[in-house]
mmCIF file of all heavy atoms in Angstrom:
data_model
loop_
_atom_site.group_PDB
_atom_site.id
_atom_site.type_symbol
_atom_site.label_atom_id
_atom_site.label_comp_id
_atom_site.label_asym_id
_atom_site.label_seq_id
_atom_site.Cartn_x
_atom_site.Cartn_y
_atom_site.Cartn_z
ATOM 1 N N ARG F 491 17.851 -6.655 17.862
ATOM 2 C CA ARG F 491 17.550 -7.987 18.391
ATOM 3 C C ARG F 491 16.113 -8.055 18.892
ATOM 4 O O ARG F 491 15.389 -9.005 18.679
ATOM 5 C CB ARG F 491 18.537 -8.296 19.524
ATOM 6 C CG ARG F 491 18.651 -9.760 19.873
ATOM 7 C CD ARG F 491 19.865 -9.959 20.750
ATOM 8 N NE ARG F 491 19.880 -9.041 21.884
ATOM 9 C CZ ARG F 491 19.203 -9.244 23.002
ATOM 10 N NH1 ARG F 491 18.467 -10.317 23.147
ATOM 11 N NH2 ARG F 491 19.274 -8.380 23.992
ATOM 12 N N ASN F 492 15.724 -6.966 19.542
ATOM 13 C CA ASN F 492 14.391 -6.831 20.105
ATOM 14 C C ASN F 492 13.307 -7.027 19.055
ATOM 15 O O ASN F 492 12.336 -7.726 19.261
ATOM 16 C CB ASN F 492 14.271 -5.399 20.642
ATOM 17 C CG ASN F 492 13.510 -5.398 21.936
ATOM 18 O OD1 ASN F 492 13.126 -6.445 22.402
ATOM 19 N ND2 ASN F 492 13.302 -4.233 22.483
ATOM 20 N N ARG F 493 13.493 -6.367 17.897
ATOM 21 C CA ARG F 493 12.467 -6.386 16.865
ATOM 22 C C ARG F 493 12.493 -7.689 16.075
ATOM 23 O O ARG F 493 11.525 -8.068 15.477
ATOM 24 C CB ARG F 493 12.670 -5.209 15.909
ATOM 25 C CG ARG F 493 12.432 -3.860 16.546
ATOM 26 C CD ARG F 493 11.961 -2.815 15.559
ATOM 27 N NE ARG F 493 12.628 -2.840 14.288
ATOM 28 C CZ ARG F 493 13.763 -2.211 14.029
ATOM 29 N NH1 ARG F 493 14.367 -1.525 14.955
ATOM 30 N NH2 ARG F 493 14.288 -2.267 12.826
ATOM 31 N N ARG F 494 13.666 -8.340 16.037
ATOM 32 C CA ARG F 494 13.803 -9.497 15.160
ATOM 33 C C ARG F 494 13.440 -10.819 15.820
ATOM 34 O O ARG F 494 13.397 -11.838 15.158
ATOM 35 C CB ARG F 494 15.231 -9.568 14.623
ATOM 36 C CG ARG F 494 15.534 -8.435 13.680
ATOM 37 C CD ARG F 494 16.851 -8.607 13.009
ATOM 38 N NE ARG F 494 16.784 -9.603 11.957
ATOM 39 C CZ ARG F 494 17.579 -9.613 10.906
ATOM 40 N NH1 ARG F 494 18.491 -8.686 10.772
ATOM 41 N NH2 ARG F 494 17.485 -10.553 9.989
ATOM 42 N N SER F 495 13.217 -10.798 17.121
ATOM 43 C CA SER F 495 12.873 -12.046 17.805
ATOM 44 C C SER F 495 11.548 -12.559 17.233
ATOM 45 O O SER F 495 10.506 -11.940 17.417
ATOM 46 C CB SER F 495 12.730 -11.775 19.301
ATOM 47 O OG SER F 495 11.867 -12.701 19.868
ATOM 48 N N LEU F 496 11.600 -13.671 16.513
ATOM 49 C CA LEU F 496 10.423 -14.117 15.770
ATOM 50 C C LEU F 496 9.346 -14.714 16.652
ATOM 51 O O LEU F 496 8.166 -14.583 16.368
ATOM 52 C CB LEU F 496 10.846 -15.108 14.688
ATOM 53 C CG LEU F 496 11.601 -14.435 13.533
ATOM 54 C CD1 LEU F 496 12.231 -15.466 12.639
ATOM 55 C CD2 LEU F 496 10.676 -13.551 12.731
ATOM 56 N N SER F 497 9.747 -15.340 17.751
ATOM 57 C CA SER F 497 8.724 -15.926 18.620
ATOM 58 C C SER F 497 7.891 -14.818 19.265
ATOM 59 O O SER F 497 6.700 -14.981 19.490
ATOM 60 C CB SER F 497 9.377 -16.798 19.682
ATOM 61 O OG SER F 497 10.362 -16.052 20.360
ATOM 62 N N GLY F 498 8.517 -13.691 19.541
ATOM 63 C CA GLY F 498 7.772 -12.565 20.119
ATOM 64 C C GLY F 498 7.726 -11.398 19.153
ATOM 65 O O GLY F 498 7.918 -10.247 19.535
ATOM 66 N N TYR F 499 7.493 -11.697 17.875
ATOM 67 C CA TYR F 499 7.510 -10.665 16.825
ATOM 68 C C TYR F 499 6.513 -9.567 17.149
ATOM 69 O O TYR F 499 5.349 -9.839 17.445
ATOM 70 C CB TYR F 499 7.176 -11.320 15.488
ATOM 71 C CG TYR F 499 7.466 -10.484 14.267
ATOM 72 C CD1 TYR F 499 8.756 -10.358 13.771
ATOM 73 C CD2 TYR F 499 6.439 -9.839 13.585
ATOM 74 C CE1 TYR F 499 9.025 -9.623 12.623
ATOM 75 C CE2 TYR F 499 6.688 -9.103 12.435
ATOM 76 C CZ TYR F 499 7.988 -8.995 11.958
ATOM 77 O OH TYR F 499 8.242 -8.254 10.821
ATOM 78 N N ASN F 500 6.972 -8.340 17.085
ATOM 79 C CA ASN F 500 6.133 -7.205 17.470
ATOM 80 C C ASN F 500 5.442 -6.619 16.236
ATOM 81 O O ASN F 500 6.103 -6.048 15.363
ATOM 82 C CB ASN F 500 7.003 -6.142 18.161
ATOM 83 C CG ASN F 500 6.174 -5.038 18.784
ATOM 84 O OD1 ASN F 500 4.955 -4.965 18.580
ATOM 85 N ND2 ASN F 500 6.808 -4.175 19.550
ATOM 86 N N TYR F 501 4.127 -6.758 16.193
ATOM 87 C CA TYR F 501 3.353 -6.259 15.050
ATOM 88 C C TYR F 501 2.969 -4.794 15.210
ATOM 89 O O TYR F 501 2.308 -4.242 14.340
ATOM 90 C CB TYR F 501 2.104 -7.120 14.846
ATOM 91 C CG TYR F 501 2.433 -8.531 14.418
ATOM 92 C CD1 TYR F 501 2.673 -9.528 15.359
ATOM 93 C CD2 TYR F 501 2.536 -8.857 13.078
ATOM 94 C CE1 TYR F 501 3.003 -10.822 14.971
ATOM 95 C CE2 TYR F 501 2.861 -10.149 12.674
ATOM 96 C CZ TYR F 501 3.097 -11.124 13.623
ATOM 97 O OH TYR F 501 3.426 -12.397 13.223
ATOM 98 N N GLU F 502 3.370 -4.188 16.301
ATOM 99 C CA GLU F 502 3.009 -2.789 16.565
ATOM 100 C C GLU F 502 4.187 -1.843 16.376
ATOM 101 O O GLU F 502 4.193 -0.725 16.879
ATOM 102 C CB GLU F 502 2.420 -2.663 17.971
ATOM 103 C CG GLU F 502 1.101 -3.430 18.092
ATOM 104 C CD GLU F 502 0.480 -3.323 19.474
ATOM 105 O OE1 GLU F 502 0.542 -2.235 20.064
ATOM 106 O OE2 GLU F 502 -0.056 -4.342 19.955
ATOM 107 N N VAL F 503 5.209 -2.314 15.655
ATOM 108 C CA VAL F 503 6.315 -1.435 15.249
ATOM 109 C C VAL F 503 6.536 -1.650 13.756
ATOM 110 O O VAL F 503 6.083 -2.642 13.178
ATOM 111 C CB VAL F 503 7.634 -1.718 16.018
ATOM 112 C CG1 VAL F 503 7.461 -1.492 17.506
ATOM 113 C CG2 VAL F 503 8.158 -3.120 15.735
ATOM 114 N N TYR F 504 7.227 -0.703 13.114
ATOM 115 C CA TYR F 504 7.582 -0.856 11.706
ATOM 116 C C TYR F 504 8.830 -1.728 11.601
ATOM 117 O O TYR F 504 9.733 -1.629 12.428
ATOM 118 C CB TYR F 504 7.827 0.512 11.063
ATOM 119 C CG TYR F 504 6.579 1.360 10.998
ATOM 120 C CD1 TYR F 504 6.485 2.564 11.696
ATOM 121 C CD2 TYR F 504 5.478 0.957 10.239
ATOM 122 C CE1 TYR F 504 5.334 3.340 11.639
ATOM 123 C CE2 TYR F 504 4.325 1.725 10.183
ATOM 124 C CZ TYR F 504 4.257 2.915 10.880
ATOM 125 O OH TYR F 504 3.118 3.665 10.828
ATOM 126 N N HIS F 505 8.867 -2.576 10.583
ATOM 127 C CA HIS F 505 9.983 -3.496 10.406
ATOM 128 C C HIS F 505 10.712 -3.244 9.096
ATOM 129 O O HIS F 505 10.092 -2.928 8.084
ATOM 130 C CB HIS F 505 9.473 -4.943 10.427
ATOM 131 C CG HIS F 505 9.040 -5.400 11.780
ATOM 132 N ND1 HIS F 505 9.923 -5.855 12.730
ATOM 133 C CD2 HIS F 505 7.809 -5.449 12.359
ATOM 134 C CE1 HIS F 505 9.261 -6.170 13.830
ATOM 135 N NE2 HIS F 505 7.975 -5.938 13.635
ATOM 136 N N SER F 506 12.021 -3.425 9.138
ATOM 137 C CA SER F 506 12.829 -3.301 7.929
ATOM 138 C C SER F 506 12.529 -4.471 7.002
ATOM 139 O O SER F 506 11.928 -5.471 7.409
ATOM 140 C CB SER F 506 14.317 -3.304 8.292
ATOM 141 O OG SER F 506 14.686 -4.602 8.758
ATOM 142 N N LEU F 507 12.990 -4.365 5.758
ATOM 143 C CA LEU F 507 12.764 -5.429 4.777
ATOM 144 C C LEU F 507 13.369 -6.751 5.245
ATOM 145 O O LEU F 507 12.745 -7.812 5.121
ATOM 146 C CB LEU F 507 13.359 -5.027 3.419
ATOM 147 C CG LEU F 507 13.135 -6.046 2.294
ATOM 148 C CD1 LEU F 507 11.660 -6.170 1.942
ATOM 149 C CD2 LEU F 507 13.954 -5.690 1.070
ATOM 150 N N GLU F 508 14.572 -6.697 5.812
ATOM 151 C CA GLU F 508 15.238 -7.920 6.278
ATOM 152 C C GLU F 508 14.418 -8.601 7.371
ATOM 153 O O GLU F 508 14.255 -9.823 7.379
ATOM 154 C CB GLU F 508 16.645 -7.600 6.826
ATOM 155 C CG GLU F 508 17.650 -7.102 5.801
ATOM 156 C CD GLU F 508 17.370 -5.693 5.296
ATOM 157 O OE1 GLU F 508 16.752 -4.881 6.035
ATOM 158 O OE2 GLU F 508 17.745 -5.401 4.151
ATOM 159 N N GLU F 509 13.884 -7.820 8.278
ATOM 160 C CA GLU F 509 13.060 -8.371 9.360
ATOM 161 C C GLU F 509 11.787 -9.013 8.809
ATOM 162 O O GLU F 509 11.381 -10.093 9.250
ATOM 163 C CB GLU F 509 12.705 -7.270 10.360
ATOM 164 C CG GLU F 509 13.892 -6.809 11.187
ATOM 165 C CD GLU F 509 13.656 -5.467 11.867
ATOM 166 O OE1 GLU F 509 12.507 -5.009 11.932
ATOM 167 O OE2 GLU F 509 14.648 -4.889 12.333
ATOM 168 N N ILE F 510 11.170 -8.346 7.831
ATOM 169 C CA ILE F 510 9.928 -8.870 7.235
ATOM 170 C C ILE F 510 10.214 -10.184 6.506
ATOM 171 O O ILE F 510 9.447 -11.152 6.616
ATOM 172 C CB ILE F 510 9.278 -7.827 6.296
ATOM 173 C CG1 ILE F 510 8.802 -6.603 7.102
ATOM 174 C CG2 ILE F 510 8.101 -8.442 5.529
ATOM 175 C CD1 ILE F 510 8.366 -5.414 6.253
ATOM 176 N N GLU F 511 11.328 -10.239 5.799
ATOM 177 C CA GLU F 511 11.661 -11.474 5.074
ATOM 178 C C GLU F 511 11.992 -12.623 6.035
ATOM 179 O O GLU F 511 11.579 -13.757 5.815
ATOM 180 C CB GLU F 511 12.824 -11.209 4.106
ATOM 181 C CG GLU F 511 12.383 -10.370 2.913
ATOM 182 C CD GLU F 511 13.493 -10.091 1.917
ATOM 183 O OE1 GLU F 511 14.680 -10.297 2.258
ATOM 184 O OE2 GLU F 511 13.164 -9.653 0.800
ATOM 185 N N ASP F 512 12.701 -12.310 7.135
ATOM 186 C CA ASP F 512 12.971 -13.336 8.160
ATOM 187 C C ASP F 512 11.665 -13.874 8.735
ATOM 188 O O ASP F 512 11.499 -15.073 8.960
ATOM 189 C CB ASP F 512 13.819 -12.751 9.305
ATOM 190 C CG ASP F 512 15.278 -12.573 8.913
ATOM 191 O OD1 ASP F 512 15.658 -13.053 7.829
ATOM 192 O OD2 ASP F 512 16.026 -11.948 9.687
#
Side-chain angles (χ1 to χ4, degrees):
R491 198 167 51 82
N492 219 2
R493 293 208 319 274
R494 292 188 76 153
S495 153
L496 289 169
S497 53
Y499 194 79
N500 189 352
Y501 293 88
E502 295 180 39
V503 299
Y504 294 116
H505 289 278
S506 69
L507 182 66
E508 294 71 27
E509 289 163 14
I510 294 170
E511 288 181 345
D512 285 351

